[in-house]
Amino acid sequence: MKKTYLITGGAGFLGSHLCERLLGEGNKVICMDNFITGEIRNIKHLAADKNFRLIKRDVSKYINIKEKLDYVMHFASPASPVDYLNFPIQTLKVGSLGTHNTLGLAKAKKAKFFLASTSEVYGDPLAHPQKEEYWGNVNCIGPRSVYDEAKRFSEAITMAYHRARKVDTKIIRIFNTYGARMRKNDGRAIPNFICQARTNKPITVYGDGSQTRSFCYVDDLIEGIIRLANSSLNTPVNIGNPNEMKLIDLARLIIKLSASESRICFRKLPADDPKQRRPDITRANKYLKWAPEVNIEEGLRKTISWFAEG
């Protein structure tokens, strides 16, 4: 049966892919975005769909939707270090007030609530790989704390609404994701490296490049989101690719796939930058029957092509 979804941050990188997937399955989608980091071009191709509606609004302020909702999916938030360092107050507000507002709406509409959280709740982890039971190693007043703590609070209030208000809630902890519609000035490793490689500029690697990340292609992530949204799980679930790699190896691979003449240069490591990041996806594998399918080379080729076309 057709369902109605409200997706906050629907014009962002992940939100726009989610809007597209849900519309493709015949659902009605209400996209809400204030366009601090979202872009209209991400959803422009959806405007002609009679089941799609765009509302320009800041979810940190009072929101009201007249029609019935089946799902409220809260994806609104700056998500890259460049963005949340430029918009620290807005990041904290969308994680706190925005989550409160969307939870209240879900409760009023008797809708399911879906929170897009992040692997950043684990901070600079001392446990590796990171399981959902790990409590994290986070600097609560450091420069990255505006994002880390906003998401940690959003998880706490989401679980409080589940326990005290009986809202059917889902929490996804998203690990590094990449693909089409990432912004060129996003500030994260893959768009940075691709844009630099395409113009044969030096690839800027922070630290010595030995820090690790695990990169999940966007199509795999969206599949994980759909499966979690349709599941009975209420506690957080890691969704990401467990194939870990060093950032310097990522830079070399992008240079190779781009047939670039770029060289690697090194910059000072930012404060509190995690040294390693890798999801334990046992829970997703067991309960959602989910695992990523797109390998890093295939995903990067598709992403490099998208940047070339843009």
Side-chain angles (χ1 to χ4, degrees):
M1 292 181 62
K2 182 188 296 185
K3 292 182 171 63
T4 301
Y5 292 78
L6 171 67
I7 303 176
T8 71
F13 165 47
L14 296 181
S16 64
H17 282 279
L18 184 57
C19 287
E20 189 174 64
R21 169 70 181 266
L22 291 169
L23 285 169
E25 294 178 351
N27 298 293
K28 182 177 180 181
V29 171
I30 302 169
C31 168
M32 184 177 289
D33 208 297
N34 66 352
F35 294 97
I36 283 185
T37 59
E39 295 185 332
I40 195 70
R41 68 171 185 164
N42 290 341
I43 53 171
K44 190 175 181 180
H45 64 295
L46 304 177
D49 193 317
K50 67 181 188 327
N51 289 320
F52 180 77
R53 180 157 70 98
L54 171 64
I55 300 175
K56 185 177 180 182
R57 191 170 300 168
D58 182 352
V59 74
S60 300
K61 300 175 182 177
Y62 174 75
I63 57 173
N64 183 42
I65 303 294
K66 292 182 178 179
E67 55 258 69
K68 177 183 180 295
L69 295 175
D70 297 289
Y71 281 86
V72 175
M73 306 188 80
H74 186 33
F75 278 73
S77 179
S80 76
V82 167
D83 290 334
Y84 53 72
L85 293 177
N86 283 337
F87 302 108
I89 306 302
Q90 293 93 328
T91 301
L92 285 162
K93 287 174 74 173
V94 76
S96 55
L97 300 175
T99 308
H100 189 201
N101 288 341
T102 48
L103 277 163
L105 181 63
K107 179 178 177 293
K109 297 290 184 178
K110 296 181 172 57
K112 295 182 180 182
F113 181 82
F114 190 104
L115 174 68
S117 188
T118 172
S119 60
E120 294 293 334
V121 299
Y122 299 121
D124 187 4
L126 302 178
H128 194 71
Q130 292 81 59
K131 296 183 178 182
E132 289 89 349
E133 293 82 7
Y134 177 54
W135 291 356
N137 176 44
V138 180
N139 178 357
C140 64
I141 59 169
R144 300 172 70 101
S145 66
V146 295
Y147 185 62
D148 301 346
E149 295 302 321
K151 290 297 189 181
R152 287 162 72 92
F153 174 85
S154 66
E155 287 196 14
I157 193 171
T158 296
M159 290 307 300
Y161 263 77
H162 173 65
R163 294 178 181 123
R165 300 289 186 262
K166 309 305 178 187
V167 177
D168 187 356
T169 60
K170 320 292 176 188
I171 299 174
I172 182 176
R173 288 179 180 163
I174 297 170
F175 282 69
N176 295 74
T177 304
Y178 69 101
R181 300 182 198 151
M182 295 191 89
R183 301 193 335 270
K184 292 179 180 180
N185 60 346
D186 181 274
R188 286 177 276 197
I190 286 180
N192 274 2
F193 291 175
I194 290 175
C195 290
Q196 290 165 342
R198 290 191 62 248
T199 53
N200 295 313
K201 293 180 179 177
I203 304 288
T204 51
V205 172
Y206 293 94
D208 62 3
S210 63
Q211 64 271 39
T212 66
R213 297 293 184 270
S214 303
F215 297 99
C216 184
Y217 189 62
V218 63
D219 291 356
D220 283 333
L221 184 91
I222 296 298
E223 178 63 29
I225 289 169
I226 297 298
R227 293 192 188 197
L228 178 56
N230 293 326
S231 77
S232 60
L233 295 175
N234 299 117
T235 51
V237 179
N238 291 336
I239 298 289
N241 194 319
N243 294 323
E244 183 181 14
M245 68 187 305
K246 295 179 181 178
L247 285 183
I248 194 165
D249 292 333
L250 173 69
R252 289 168 178 155
L253 180 56
I254 288 175
I255 290 172
K256 174 187 171 184
L257 296 176
S258 303
S260 174
E261 298 177 4
S262 293
R263 296 180 178 274
I264 295 173
C265 65
F266 297 92
R267 297 285 185 267
K268 183 180 178 182
L269 194 67
D272 300 329
D273 192 62
K275 299 177 187 66
Q276 53 189 7
R277 186 61 57 73
R278 178 188 170 198
D280 182 313
I281 61 169
T282 302
R283 185 175 293 178
N285 206 221
K286 179 178 179 181
Y287 295 104
L288 307 179
K289 308 302 179 189
W290 179 89
E293 296 181 356
V294 180
N295 67 47
I296 187 69
E297 286 204 19
E298 179 187 353
L300 284 176
R301 288 184 193 278
K302 291 179 179 180
T303 307
I304 290 167
S305 294
W306 183 84
F307 273 94
E309 293 167 2

